[in-house]
Amino acid sequence: MCTQTKAASRMVNIPQADIDPSGVFKYVLIRVHSKEEGDDTEVDIVRGYGWAEFHADIYDKVSEELEKDGLLDCECVGGGRIRHDAQDKKIHVYGYSIGFGRANHATTTEKLKDQYPDYEVTWDNEGGHMFGSETGCSERACCAHCTVVR
């Protein structure tokens, strides 16, 4: 007889991706583990929100919620940025988190493709600075006058 642990049952119901409906914002890739004895179940989830000043703000909020019943443990495996253009149905994943390092953008992209099957979802490992028309900044590296990357 095959039985599923409480933690594994709970993980099945965690959305694999949850991001803001549009805009440019920070995201984190979080690995959620079972804390139950003999259960090595884990799942990677993507969370990205414009309200976050730092990648850690997202991780702290999400991990606190998921860990509150003691069944699950969270680990941030990296971060970056997402540019979500809902009108054109495009999502681009790029950049890195200074605190958590670069997330595996290929993993993130696959999670987003599942959530947004009718979108064009792309990624690259270029740095975190967006220059040009999106920011009004002409610099090609992070600079003191630009607040795009923290």
Side-chain angles (χ1 to χ4, degrees):
M1 178 169 96
C2 181
T3 59
Q4 191 174 47
T5 66
K6 289 180 184 178
S9 296
R10 183 142 182 256
M11 277 191 260
V12 168
N13 295 314
I14 299 171
Q16 300 245 342
D18 183 41
I19 63 171
D20 276 351
S22 65
V24 177
F25 43 84
K26 291 175 174 64
Y27 91 89
V28 290
L29 184 62
I30 299 171
R31 184 157 295 143
V32 183
H33 304 270
S34 169
K35 288 178 75 175
E36 293 186 86
E37 185 74 29
D39 181 0
D40 59 359
T41 306
E42 64 182 30
V43 64
D44 289 343
I45 62 172
V46 176
R47 297 295 183 267
Y49 309 110
W51 54 258
E53 184 175 359
F54 301 102
H55 291 91
D57 296 336
I58 300 169
Y59 175 71
D60 290 346
K61 183 175 176 22
V62 173
S63 63
E64 180 180 332
E65 178 64 27
L66 291 174
E67 293 175 345
K68 70 182 175 188
D69 63 6
L71 294 173
L72 304 175
D73 186 43
C74 295
E75 166 192 8
C76 186
V77 294
R81 289 186 154 274
I82 292 175
R83 182 173 54 240
H84 185 177
D85 182 344
Q87 184 173 348
D88 289 340
K89 294 189 174 191
K90 292 182 178 183
I91 296 175
H92 185 65
V93 180
Y94 64 98
Y96 59 93
S97 163
I98 292 172
F100 296 119
R102 184 182 322 275
N104 182 330
H105 296 328
T107 298
T108 299
T109 298
E110 290 307 311
K111 304 274 181 197
L112 291 169
K113 283 180 180 178
D114 289 345
Q115 187 79 20
Y116 297 90
D118 56 338
Y119 271 58
E120 176 186 339
V121 184
T122 59
W123 66 274
D124 67 49
N125 277 331
E126 295 303 311
H129 187 86
M130 292 178 54
F131 55 89
S133 62
E134 294 178 51
T135 65
C137 182
S138 62
E139 298 295 318
R140 288 196 170 268
C142 292
C143 46
H145 71 276
C146 186
T147 60
V148 174
V149 174
R150 295 186 108 93

